[in-house]
Amino acid sequence: MERDQDPTAGTEQPATDDETTSRTGEQPAQERPARERPAQGQATPRPWSARRIPAALTALLIAAAAGTLLVDVVRVRAGSTAAGWRTRLADEMATRPLDDVWIRVGAAVMAVLGLWLVILALTPGLRHKLPVTTPDRQMHTVLNRDAAALLLRDAAMRVPGVSAARVRVSQSRIKARADMRYRAPADVKADLVATLREELDRLALARPPRLTVKVRPRRK
């Protein structure tokens, strides 16, 4: 026995413009392209120093030397005689041999200054600043090394058995020294390492320094 089928049941009616718009607006957030999602846990690059003082000193020295030489050249072009320091300098450079002591000393000084400027240009500086991991690549956050050392010292003082603690933080290493009153040294050191590592995780440093812990009985 056959049943009569509704002719409209097998065909799907086209959606209206309003329904299409509402469906498009109701798409879940997880179906959006991955490029629209903010990256999580981006490591903040190490901050670079502006080097204002070396740049200002270098600019002042070059400007002073160039200005003095330019003034003397203008005076000579105007009909005056060259300055005595310029004439003496030209005579010394023309008569002194290259193996002269003062020539070598001057060349060494200039080489050291040039090397110093190159190092300043290629190194970030600001060694007392520690970069912190941020949720956005455009956000840059740093933590002072003294503040990090203070937080770690406070965490170390909360360990049972620790009577005094000293923490030094650098870009590559954290040195923690603790004096203990009671408990076994191995137990105190294990708890101290665990506590400091937990505090380091809370600080969320982009490049966590290596941790070194030393425990010793307190001297009476």
Side-chain angles (χ1 to χ4, degrees):
M1 183 177 180
E2 297 180 357
R3 296 183 179 179
D4 295 337
Q5 296 181 356
D6 188 358
T8 61
T11 60
E12 183 178 356
Q13 296 181 356
T16 61
D17 295 340
D18 296 339
E19 294 178 355
T20 304
T21 305
S22 62
R23 291 178 184 177
T24 305
E26 294 176 359
Q27 288 183 352
Q30 57 269 20
E31 295 183 1
R32 296 177 183 177
R35 60 183 177 83
E36 295 181 1
R37 302 174 189 170
Q40 299 294 332
Q42 296 290 342
T44 303
R46 184 175 170 183
W48 281 68
S49 174
R51 311 289 192 186
R52 294 184 177 88
I53 296 179
L57 292 178
T58 304
L60 287 176
L61 290 176
I62 295 176
T68 304
L69 181 60
L70 180 61
V71 169
D72 189 65
V73 170
V74 171
R75 290 178 65 254
V76 171
R77 293 296 182 181
S80 302
T81 58
W85 64 268
R86 185 181 171 193
T87 304
R88 192 181 316 108
L89 180 61
D91 293 340
E92 292 290 338
M93 294 179 64
T95 56
R96 284 184 181 270
L98 295 179
D99 57 351
D100 186 76
V101 176
W102 291 107
I103 296 295
R104 293 183 177 182
V105 171
V109 171
M110 296 300 295
V112 171
L113 291 177
L115 180 62
W116 177 59
L117 293 177
V118 170
I119 292 175
L120 290 180
L122 298 180
T123 54
L126 295 179
R127 297 189 60 83
H128 59 286
K129 301 290 184 180
L130 300 174
V132 178
T133 302
T134 57
D136 189 0
R137 188 181 297 272
Q138 303 298 328
M139 183 185 302
H140 301 283
T141 307
V142 293
L143 178 64
N144 192 282
R145 290 193 320 184
D146 296 336
L150 182 60
L151 292 174
L152 293 173
R153 186 188 67 84
D154 293 342
M157 291 298 297
R158 293 194 295 265
V159 176
V162 175
S163 60
R166 294 173 299 277
V167 179
R168 296 183 61 184
V169 179
S170 64
Q171 288 288 339
S172 60
R173 181 175 298 182
I174 297 176
K175 295 181 179 180
R177 294 184 179 182
D179 296 339
M180 48 168 291
R181 283 185 179 273
Y182 56 93
R183 298 181 63 195
D187 296 340
V188 174
K189 184 175 181 179
D191 292 346
L192 186 59
V193 170
T195 301
L196 292 180
R197 291 191 183 280
E198 182 180 356
E199 188 66 23
L200 278 176
D201 293 339
R202 293 178 181 176
L203 296 180
L205 298 179
R207 301 175 182 85
R210 186 175 60 181
L211 180 62
T212 302
V213 178
K214 293 183 179 180
V215 177
R216 64 180 183 179
R218 185 171 183 178
R219 299 175 183 178
K220 297 182 180 180

